[in-house]
Amino acid sequence: MATEVLPLHLGVKNLVDSGLDKLPGIYIRSKEERPNAVHREESFPVLDLGAALNSSEARAALVPQIREACVQWGFFQVINHGVPHSLVDEMQSVAREFHALPNEEKMRYFSTDTESRMRYGTSFNVTQDKVFSWRDYLRHSCLPLAEMQELWPEKPASYREVTADYSTRVRNLAKFLLELISESLDLPKDYIDKAFNGCSQVMALNFYPACPEPDLVLGIGPHSDPGSITLLLQDHVEGLQVMHGHEWYSVKPIPYSFVVNLGDQIQILSNDKYKSAQHRAVVNSSEDRMSIPVAMGPNWESLVHPVTKLVEGSPVFKPMVYKDYITALQAGGLNRQWLLDTLRI
Protein backbone atom coordinates (compact mmCIF):
# COMPACT_ATOMS: atom_id res chain seq x y z
CA MET A 1 0.00 0.00 0.00
CA ALA A 2 1.46 3.38 -1.00
CA THR A 3 2.24 5.88 1.72
CA GLU A 4 -0.13 8.86 1.78
CA VAL A 5 1.74 12.01 0.74
CA LEU A 6 0.94 14.70 3.28
CA PRO A 7 1.78 18.43 2.85
CA LEU A 8 4.86 18.21 5.10
CA HIS A 9 6.10 15.25 3.02
CA LEU A 10 6.63 17.73 0.16
CA GLY A 11 9.67 19.02 1.99
CA VAL A 12 11.10 22.02 3.77
CA LYS A 13 11.81 23.98 0.59
CA ASN A 14 8.16 23.65 -0.42
CA LEU A 15 7.14 24.83 3.04
CA VAL A 16 9.39 27.91 2.84
CA ASP A 17 8.46 28.70 -0.77
CA SER A 18 4.76 28.57 0.05
CA GLY A 19 5.15 31.46 2.49
CA LEU A 20 5.94 30.25 5.99
CA ASP A 21 4.37 32.43 8.68
CA LYS A 22 4.77 30.08 11.63
CA LEU A 23 7.15 27.20 12.28
CA PRO A 24 5.16 23.93 12.40
CA GLY A 25 5.45 22.29 15.81
CA ILE A 26 6.76 19.01 14.38
CA TYR A 27 10.10 20.73 13.60
CA ILE A 28 10.61 22.26 17.06
CA ARG A 29 13.17 20.46 19.22
CA SER A 30 13.01 20.10 22.98
CA LYS A 31 15.14 22.58 24.92
CA GLU A 32 17.72 19.86 25.55
CA GLU A 33 18.06 19.09 21.83
CA ARG A 34 18.24 22.63 20.47
CA PRO A 35 21.51 24.08 19.17
CA ASN A 36 23.64 25.42 22.01
CA ALA A 37 26.91 27.30 22.40
CA VAL A 38 29.47 26.07 19.89
CA HIS A 39 33.24 26.30 20.16
CA ARG A 40 35.40 26.86 17.10
CA GLU A 41 38.42 24.60 17.10
CA GLU A 42 41.47 25.93 15.30
CA SER A 43 43.27 22.59 15.62
CA PHE A 44 40.58 20.57 13.82
CA PRO A 45 42.74 18.22 11.71
CA VAL A 46 43.35 19.34 8.12
CA LEU A 47 45.48 16.89 6.14
CA ASP A 48 47.20 17.80 2.87
CA LEU A 49 47.22 14.74 0.59
CA GLY A 50 49.05 16.40 -2.30
CA ALA A 51 52.50 14.91 -1.83
CA ALA A 52 51.22 11.60 -0.41
CA LEU A 53 49.36 10.79 -3.63
CA ASN A 54 52.65 10.58 -5.52
CA SER A 55 55.37 9.86 -2.94
CA SER A 56 55.81 6.80 -0.72
CA GLU A 57 57.85 8.87 1.75
CA ALA A 58 55.14 11.53 2.04
CA ARG A 59 52.52 8.81 2.36
CA ALA A 60 54.42 7.20 5.25
CA ALA A 61 54.69 10.59 6.94
CA LEU A 62 50.91 11.05 6.66
CA VAL A 63 50.03 7.81 8.47
CA PRO A 64 50.79 9.13 12.01
CA GLN A 65 48.67 12.22 11.25
CA ILE A 66 45.79 9.96 10.21
CA ARG A 67 46.23 7.93 13.40
CA GLU A 68 46.12 11.00 15.62
CA ALA A 69 43.05 12.41 13.85
CA CYS A 70 41.24 9.08 14.15
CA VAL A 71 42.05 8.68 17.84
CA GLN A 72 41.38 12.28 18.86
CA TRP A 73 38.45 13.21 16.63
CA GLY A 74 37.18 10.48 14.33
CA PHE A 75 36.98 13.37 11.84
CA PHE A 76 39.43 15.26 9.62
CA GLN A 77 39.44 17.43 6.51
CA VAL A 78 41.50 16.65 3.41
CA ILE A 79 42.82 19.13 0.84
CA ASN A 80 44.76 18.59 -2.40
CA HIS A 81 43.02 15.23 -2.68
CA GLY A 82 43.10 14.79 -6.44
CA VAL A 83 39.39 15.25 -7.21
CA PRO A 84 39.34 18.07 -9.81
CA HIS A 85 37.92 21.40 -8.66
CA SER A 86 35.96 21.64 -11.91
CA LEU A 87 34.21 18.34 -11.14
CA VAL A 88 33.41 19.51 -7.59
CA ASP A 89 31.86 22.66 -9.07
CA GLU A 90 29.82 20.59 -11.52
CA MET A 91 28.57 18.26 -8.77
CA GLN A 92 27.48 21.16 -6.59
CA SER A 93 25.80 22.79 -9.58
CA VAL A 94 23.69 19.77 -10.57
CA ALA A 95 22.80 19.19 -6.91
CA ARG A 96 21.45 22.74 -6.60
CA GLU A 97 19.66 22.39 -9.92
CA PHE A 98 17.95 19.25 -8.69
CA HIS A 99 16.66 20.88 -5.52
CA ALA A 100 15.46 23.86 -7.59
CA LEU A 101 13.29 21.63 -9.80
CA PRO A 102 9.50 21.91 -9.54
CA ASN A 103 8.05 19.84 -6.72
CA GLU A 104 6.19 17.60 -9.18
CA GLU A 105 9.50 16.53 -10.75
CA LYS A 106 11.24 15.80 -7.44
CA MET A 107 8.24 13.96 -6.02
CA ARG A 108 8.55 11.40 -8.83
CA TYR A 109 11.29 9.93 -6.68
CA PHE A 110 9.58 10.31 -3.30
CA SER A 111 9.55 7.18 -1.15
CA THR A 112 9.37 6.28 2.52
CA ASP A 113 10.95 2.87 1.83
CA THR A 114 14.29 3.07 3.65
CA GLU A 115 15.56 0.09 1.64
CA SER A 116 14.98 1.85 -1.68
CA ARG A 117 18.19 2.37 -3.64
CA MET A 118 17.01 5.73 -5.02
CA ARG A 119 14.62 8.04 -3.19
CA TYR A 120 13.74 11.64 -2.53
CA GLY A 121 12.53 12.64 0.90
CA THR A 122 12.55 15.09 3.75
CA SER A 123 13.67 14.89 7.40
CA PHE A 124 15.01 11.33 7.95
CA ASN A 125 12.01 9.03 7.77
CA VAL A 126 8.68 10.87 7.86
CA THR A 127 6.78 7.72 8.85
CA GLN A 128 8.85 7.34 12.04
CA ASP A 129 10.26 10.74 12.99
CA LYS A 130 8.66 12.25 16.10
CA VAL A 131 10.43 15.54 15.34
CA PHE A 132 11.27 16.44 11.74
CA SER A 133 14.72 17.53 10.60
CA TRP A 134 14.96 20.77 8.61
CA ARG A 135 16.29 19.20 5.40
CA ASP A 136 15.28 17.76 2.05
CA TYR A 137 17.42 15.14 0.34
CA LEU A 138 17.96 12.89 -2.64
CA ARG A 139 19.67 9.64 -1.66
CA HIS A 140 20.84 6.85 -3.93
CA SER A 141 23.28 4.00 -4.29
CA CYS A 142 26.23 4.36 -6.67
CA LEU A 143 27.06 0.69 -7.21
CA PRO A 144 26.80 -1.19 -9.49
CA LEU A 145 27.39 2.02 -11.42
CA ALA A 146 25.91 1.13 -14.83
CA GLU A 147 22.79 -0.34 -13.21
CA MET A 148 22.26 2.52 -10.78
CA GLN A 149 22.76 5.28 -13.38
CA GLU A 150 19.53 4.18 -15.06
CA LEU A 151 17.64 4.83 -11.81
CA TRP A 152 19.11 8.27 -11.11
CA PRO A 153 17.12 11.44 -11.93
CA GLU A 154 16.71 12.36 -15.59
CA LYS A 155 16.85 16.04 -14.66
CA PRO A 156 19.08 18.00 -14.60
CA ALA A 157 20.15 16.63 -17.98
CA SER A 158 23.81 16.29 -16.95
CA TYR A 159 23.08 14.71 -13.54
CA ARG A 160 23.83 11.11 -14.46
CA GLU A 161 27.07 11.88 -16.30
CA VAL A 162 28.44 14.27 -13.68
CA THR A 163 27.47 12.07 -10.73
CA ALA A 164 28.97 8.95 -12.32
CA ASP A 165 32.32 10.72 -12.75
CA TYR A 166 32.17 12.33 -9.31
CA SER A 167 31.21 9.14 -7.45
CA THR A 168 34.00 7.20 -9.17
CA ARG A 169 36.63 9.80 -8.27
CA VAL A 170 35.44 9.98 -4.66
CA ARG A 171 35.38 6.18 -4.41
CA ASN A 172 39.02 6.08 -5.51
CA LEU A 173 39.88 8.72 -2.90
CA ALA A 174 38.03 6.72 -0.24
CA LYS A 175 40.05 3.62 -1.14
CA PHE A 176 43.27 5.60 -0.68
CA LEU A 177 42.12 6.94 2.69
CA LEU A 178 41.08 3.48 3.89
CA GLU A 179 44.55 2.25 3.01
CA LEU A 180 46.03 4.99 5.20
CA ILE A 181 43.60 4.15 8.02
CA SER A 182 44.53 0.50 7.69
CA GLU A 183 48.23 1.36 7.92
CA SER A 184 47.55 3.62 10.89
CA LEU A 185 46.27 0.52 12.73
CA ASP A 186 49.55 -1.27 11.85
CA LEU A 187 47.74 -3.46 9.34
CA PRO A 188 48.60 -4.07 5.67
CA LYS A 189 47.28 -1.25 3.50
CA ASP A 190 44.74 -3.50 1.76
CA TYR A 191 43.52 -5.12 5.00
CA ILE A 192 40.28 -3.14 5.34
CA ASP A 193 39.42 -3.55 1.66
CA LYS A 194 39.83 -7.33 1.93
CA ALA A 195 38.06 -7.55 5.31
CA PHE A 196 35.08 -5.64 3.89
CA ASN A 197 35.09 -7.65 0.61
CA GLY A 198 35.21 -4.47 -1.44
CA CYS A 199 32.68 -1.73 -0.79
CA SER A 200 29.19 -0.31 -1.02
CA GLN A 201 28.65 3.37 -1.86
CA VAL A 202 25.66 5.62 -1.18
CA MET A 203 25.49 9.36 -1.72
CA ALA A 204 23.01 12.07 -0.79
CA LEU A 205 22.24 15.63 -1.80
CA ASN A 206 21.23 17.38 1.43
CA PHE A 207 19.45 20.74 1.17
CA TYR A 208 18.87 22.88 4.27
CA PRO A 209 16.74 25.96 3.49
CA ALA A 210 17.17 29.12 5.54
CA CYS A 211 14.91 28.88 8.60
CA PRO A 212 13.01 31.74 10.28
CA GLU A 213 13.73 30.30 13.74
CA PRO A 214 16.99 28.34 13.43
CA ASP A 215 17.55 28.13 17.20
CA LEU A 216 14.52 25.85 17.52
CA VAL A 217 15.39 23.25 14.86
CA LEU A 218 18.18 21.02 13.61
CA GLY A 219 19.07 20.32 9.99
CA ILE A 220 19.70 16.77 11.12
CA GLY A 221 20.00 15.48 14.66
CA PRO A 222 23.05 13.92 16.36
CA HIS A 223 24.13 10.64 14.80
CA SER A 224 27.11 8.59 13.73
CA ASP A 225 27.43 7.04 10.28
CA PRO A 226 26.94 3.29 9.90
CA GLY A 227 29.55 2.46 7.24
CA SER A 228 33.33 2.66 6.96
CA ILE A 229 34.02 6.33 6.11
CA THR A 230 31.98 9.24 4.79
CA LEU A 231 33.41 11.97 2.57
CA LEU A 232 31.37 15.15 2.88
CA LEU A 233 31.45 18.02 0.41
CA GLN A 234 30.22 21.26 2.00
CA ASP A 235 29.32 24.50 0.31
CA HIS A 236 30.47 27.83 1.79
CA VAL A 237 27.81 27.91 4.52
CA GLU A 238 28.79 26.69 7.98
CA GLY A 239 26.51 24.08 9.52
CA LEU A 240 28.34 20.83 10.31
CA GLN A 241 29.08 20.31 14.00
CA VAL A 242 31.14 17.52 15.54
CA MET A 243 30.96 16.19 19.10
CA HIS A 244 34.39 16.32 20.74
CA GLY A 245 35.00 16.01 24.46
CA HIS A 246 31.26 16.29 25.19
CA GLU A 247 31.04 19.63 23.36
CA TRP A 248 29.93 20.61 19.86
CA TYR A 249 32.51 22.10 17.51
CA SER A 250 31.67 23.84 14.26
CA VAL A 251 33.63 22.68 11.20
CA LYS A 252 34.48 25.73 9.08
CA PRO A 253 34.17 24.92 5.36
CA ILE A 254 37.40 24.98 3.34
CA PRO A 255 36.74 25.41 -0.40
CA TYR A 256 37.19 22.17 -2.38
CA SER A 257 37.98 20.12 0.73
CA PHE A 258 36.27 16.97 1.97
CA VAL A 259 35.34 16.37 5.59
CA VAL A 260 36.05 12.71 6.36
CA ASN A 261 34.53 10.88 9.29
CA LEU A 262 34.88 7.34 10.53
CA GLY A 263 31.80 5.12 10.54
CA ASP A 264 30.59 2.43 12.92
CA GLN A 265 32.22 -0.41 10.98
CA ILE A 266 35.69 1.08 11.51
CA GLN A 267 34.94 1.37 15.23
CA ILE A 268 33.97 -2.32 15.26
CA LEU A 269 36.92 -3.46 13.11
CA SER A 270 39.42 -1.47 15.22
CA ASN A 271 38.03 -3.05 18.39
CA ASP A 272 37.04 0.39 19.74
CA LYS A 273 40.48 1.95 19.20
CA TYR A 274 38.91 4.39 16.73
CA LYS A 275 35.49 5.93 17.35
CA SER A 276 32.62 6.76 15.04
CA ALA A 277 32.01 10.34 16.15
CA GLN A 278 28.62 11.95 16.67
CA HIS A 279 27.79 14.89 14.42
CA ARG A 280 24.80 17.03 13.48
CA ALA A 281 23.78 19.86 11.16
CA VAL A 282 22.44 23.26 12.21
CA VAL A 283 20.75 25.85 10.02
CA ASN A 284 20.59 29.63 9.87
CA SER A 285 18.08 32.35 9.02
CA SER A 286 19.89 34.01 6.10
CA GLU A 287 21.29 31.38 3.72
CA ASP A 288 20.37 27.99 2.32
CA ARG A 289 23.01 25.33 2.87
CA MET A 290 23.84 22.24 0.82
CA SER A 291 26.07 19.27 1.56
CA ILE A 292 26.87 16.14 -0.43
CA PRO A 293 27.95 13.15 1.67
CA VAL A 294 29.32 10.03 0.00
CA ALA A 295 29.00 7.18 2.47
CA MET A 296 31.30 4.21 1.93
CA GLY A 297 30.60 0.88 3.58
CA PRO A 298 31.58 -2.77 3.45
CA ASN A 299 30.10 -5.09 0.88
CA TRP A 300 26.51 -5.69 2.05
CA GLU A 301 27.21 -9.37 2.76
CA SER A 302 30.41 -8.81 4.75
CA LEU A 303 30.65 -10.16 8.29
CA VAL A 304 32.33 -7.35 10.24
CA HIS A 305 34.20 -8.11 13.44
CA PRO A 306 37.22 -6.84 15.39
CA VAL A 307 40.63 -7.57 13.87
CA THR A 308 42.24 -10.39 15.86
CA LYS A 309 45.57 -8.54 15.96
CA LEU A 310 43.89 -5.58 17.66
CA VAL A 311 42.18 -7.65 20.36
CA GLU A 312 43.89 -7.70 23.73
CA GLY A 313 42.01 -10.20 25.83
CA SER A 314 38.41 -10.33 24.59
CA PRO A 315 36.92 -8.54 21.57
CA VAL A 316 34.78 -5.52 22.38
CA PHE A 317 32.13 -6.24 19.72
CA LYS A 318 30.25 -9.27 18.45
CA PRO A 319 30.38 -9.87 14.68
CA MET A 320 27.46 -8.79 12.49
CA VAL A 321 26.73 -8.90 8.77
CA TYR A 322 26.73 -5.33 7.43
CA LYS A 323 23.37 -5.72 5.65
CA ASP A 324 21.80 -6.88 8.94
CA TYR A 325 23.35 -3.90 10.72
CA ILE A 326 21.76 -1.50 8.23
CA THR A 327 18.39 -3.26 8.47
CA ALA A 328 18.46 -2.95 12.27
CA LEU A 329 19.33 0.74 12.03
CA GLN A 330 16.50 1.47 9.61
CA ALA A 331 14.08 -0.11 12.06
CA GLY A 332 15.44 1.95 14.94
CA GLY A 333 15.78 5.41 13.38
CA LEU A 334 18.62 7.89 13.44
CA ASN A 335 20.12 7.09 16.86
CA ARG A 336 22.75 4.42 16.21
CA GLN A 337 24.43 4.27 19.62
CA TRP A 338 21.96 1.69 20.90
CA LEU A 339 22.99 -0.76 18.16
CA LEU A 340 26.70 -0.42 18.85
CA ASP A 341 25.91 -0.95 22.53
CA THR A 342 23.95 -4.15 21.81
CA LEU A 343 27.00 -5.50 19.94
CA ARG A 344 29.31 -4.86 22.86
CA ILE A 345 30.50 -7.98 24.65
Side-chain angles (χ1 to χ4, degrees), residues 44-299:
F44 186 85
V46 179
L47 307 182
D48 188 337
L49 304 186
L53 292 172
N54 302 300
S55 162
S56 57
E57 290 81 6
R59 177 191 175 114
L62 193 59
V63 170
Q65 298 177 52
I66 289 279
R67 181 184 298 116
E68 182 176 3
C70 289
V71 169
Q72 297 297 326
W73 286 86
F75 265 83
F76 51 90
Q77 278 180 289
V78 294
I79 58 174
N80 298 322
H81 41 65
V83 179
H85 288 187
S86 58
L87 182 57
V88 170
D89 289 336
E90 287 182 280
M91 188 67 239
Q92 289 185 319
S93 178
V94 295
R96 286 200 174 275
E97 286 178 47
F98 175 83
H99 282 291
L101 289 171
N103 235 33
E104 298 75 24
E105 181 67 26
K106 291 182 291 188
M107 291 302 289
R108 290 176 56 196
Y109 309 105
F110 176 81
S111 174
T112 59
D113 179 6
T114 55
E115 295 186 8
S116 173
R117 294 190 295 167
M118 222 290 296
R119 67 187 180 107
Y120 174 71
T122 189
S123 188
F124 179 67
N125 183 347
V126 291
T127 62
Q128 292 183 353
D129 297 343
K130 300 295 188 293
V131 181
F132 279 15
S133 295
W134 193 263
R135 73 151 183 168
D136 300 332
Y137 63 89
L138 176 73
R139 182 181 184 275
H140 59 68
S141 295
C142 299
L143 297 173
L145 181 57
E147 177 183 331
M148 286 309 307
Q149 265 188 288
E150 297 303 311
L151 300 178
W152 293 348
E154 297 171 351
K155 297 179 181 179
S158 60
Y159 184 83
R160 293 179 177 181
E161 180 183 356
V162 170
T163 304
D165 191 5
Y166 180 82
S167 64
T168 300
R169 297 273 195 156
V170 173
R171 183 166 63 252
N172 291 337
L173 173 59
K175 183 176 181 180
F176 177 75
L177 291 170
L178 284 169
E179 289 178 354
L180 293 173
I181 292 169
S182 193
E183 290 175 299
S184 77
L185 290 165
D186 296 320
L187 300 169
K189 72 176 186 178
D190 61 352
Y191 187 95
I192 292 177
D193 184 60
K194 289 182 176 179
F196 288 170
N197 297 307
C199 69
S200 56
Q201 184 182 21
V202 177
M203 68 181 291
L205 317 180
N206 291 326
F207 186 70
Y208 305 95
C211 177
E213 298 180 90
D215 294 340
L216 300 181
V217 307
L218 285 173
I220 190 167
H223 65 285
S224 63
D225 290 348
S228 53
I229 59 174
T230 299
L231 294 85
L232 178 77
L233 176 63
Q234 300 193 84
D235 64 9
H236 66 285
V237 182
E238 213 164 311
L240 173 65
Q241 296 181 351
V242 177
M243 176 65 77
H244 180 61
H246 305 292
E247 292 188 281
W248 289 108
Y249 288 81
S250 185
V251 181
K252 188 174 180 62
I254 299 174
Y256 299 108
S257 71
F258 288 103
V259 180
V260 181
N261 66 276
L262 305 183
D264 297 345
Q265 306 311 304
I266 294 295
Q267 183 167 346
I268 294 169
L269 178 135
S270 71
N271 202 42
D272 225 21
K273 287 180 169 55
Y274 291 169
K275 299 294 192 296
S276 177
Q278 293 273 309
H279 51 288
R280 67 182 185 182
V282 299
V283 297
N284 67 83
S285 60
S286 58
E287 282 191 282
D288 300 335
R289 176 175 177 262
M290 190 181 65
S291 69
I292 305 175
V294 175
M296 306 301 301
N299 179 291

Side-chain angles (χ1 to χ4, degrees), residues 290-308:
M290 190 181 65
S291 69
I292 305 175
V294 175
M296 306 301 301
N299 179 291
W300 300 109
E301 304 297 332
S302 295
L303 181 67
V304 181
H305 56 82
V307 179
T308 303

